[in-house]
Amino acid sequence: MSELNPFQPGAQLGRYEIVRPLGKGGMGQVYLARDGMLQREVVIKTLSREVSDQAVLERWRREILTMARVNHPNVISIYDAEFGGGALGLSYIVMEYAALGSLQDELEHLQGRATMMAVAQVLEIGIQVAQALCAVHGAGVIHRDIKPSNILITRTPEGRVIYKLADFGIAIASDLPRVTSTHSSLLTPLFAAPEQFASSKVDERADIYSLGATLWDC
């Protein structure tokens, strides 16, 4: 294993073998990996070693704990996590792999072909993501960043397409005494509710607004 890049293709990270990079996230890289024990593909989302800001580190840890407390077929599952421990001092999340990419990928593909998404498909997306939000809100969490790139796509063995909510990086607990928009710079203006940009309380309705904006975009 390379000491400079423990995530290079072929590198072994515990029971996970790095396959290839998938992209770059807000605070680190995202990789496709193979779980040698359970014989399945997974996603490893890393936190850059250069990140030292305690608020960022706490948000990263909170994302892991937030996602782990929600168990629903329309929410991406967390399999494993490391909080800067081990010999290499790495921080990362091991998550479910969505082989069909994101809703954003699908929209860009349709745009390239100058075609529109069928209304029935838009309705199905709305139903599935709304069910995910019911579980998320029931767990006392407000996602705060519903948008096409945070809705991932998989397919069941029977061929049914499943839409899964992902990326809880700026999620907050709804039981905090006063929840304000402290991370407005991370929001996507096209999809975020107006109150998320102001110093006002944000609740579950912000997620419902963002889901509506996402469906409108579709």
Side-chain angles (χ1 to χ4, degrees), residues 5 12 30 40 42-43 51 54 118 139-140 154 171 184 187 214-215:
N5 181 13
Q12 200 74 30
V30 182
R40 63 183 177 187
V42 297
V43 167
V51 175
Q54 288 303 309
T154 64
S184 61
L187 300 173
T214 296
L215 298 179

Side-chain angles (χ1 to χ4, degrees), residues 2 8 12 19 28 35 62 66 72-73 78 84 108 114 133 136 147 152 158 169 177 182 201 212:
S2 167
Q8 64 181 341
Q12 200 74 30
V19 176
D35 183 338
R62 188 177 64 204
T66 298
H72 190 273
I78 291 285
E108 290 175 358
L133 284 179
V136 169
K147 58 186 178 182
L152 305 184
E158 298 75 32
T182 54
K201 187 172 181 179

Side-chain angles (χ1 to χ4, degrees), residues 40-158:
R40 63 183 177 187
E41 291 181 316
V42 297
V43 167
I44 295 182
K45 182 178 179 181
T46 72
L47 181 64
S48 172
R49 287 177 169 177
E50 284 70 40
V51 175
S52 59
D53 183 275
Q54 288 303 309
V56 174
L57 293 172
E58 177 57 28
R59 190 168 73 240
W60 166 267
R61 180 177 176 275
R62 188 177 64 204
E63 175 180 2
I64 298 174
L65 297 177
T66 298
M67 292 184 70
R69 68 194 276 194
V70 180
N71 182 21
H72 190 273
N74 292 110
V75 177
I76 286 289
S77 298
I78 291 285
Y79 297 144
D80 198 359
E82 183 63 64
F83 297 100
L88 298 174
L90 301 171
S91 296
Y92 56 86
I93 315 174
V94 182
M95 303 181 292
E96 176 183 359
Y97 174 51
L100 300 183
S102 70
L103 180 57
Q104 181 65 37
D105 296 333
E106 185 167 350
L107 291 175
E108 290 175 358
H109 176 69
L110 290 173
Q111 186 177 28
R113 297 172 55 190
T115 58
M116 296 179 62
M117 185 174 287
V119 172
Q121 183 180 359
V122 177
L123 291 173
E124 182 63 23
I125 293 167
I127 290 169
Q128 292 195 33
V129 177
Q131 290 172 337
L133 284 179
C134 281
V136 169
H137 295 162
V141 173
I142 303 167
H143 187 283
R144 297 215 315 161
D145 199 22
I146 310 294
K147 58 186 178 182
S149 60
N150 284 341
I151 298 172
L152 305 184
I153 310 171
T154 64
R155 193 185 301 274
T156 67
E158 298 75 32

Side-chain angles (χ1 to χ4, degrees), residues 7-44:
F7 296 102
Q8 64 181 341
Q12 200 74 30
L13 189 67
R15 73 194 218 201
Y16 308 106
E17 179 184 352
I18 304 300
V19 176
R20 59 182 171 85
L22 289 176
K24 187 172 184 178
M27 294 180 284
Q29 300 285 338
V30 182
Y31 298 90
L32 176 65
R34 178 76 178 170
D35 183 338
M37 180 183 294
L38 298 180
Q39 296 294 300
R40 63 183 177 187
E41 291 181 316
V42 297
V43 167
I44 295 182

Side-chain angles (χ1 to χ4, degrees), residues 133 146 191 206-218:
L133 284 179
I146 310 294
F191 303 102
D207 284 345
I208 297 171
Y209 177 101
S210 296
L211 175 57
T214 296
L215 298 179
W216 178 88
D217 195 42
C218 291

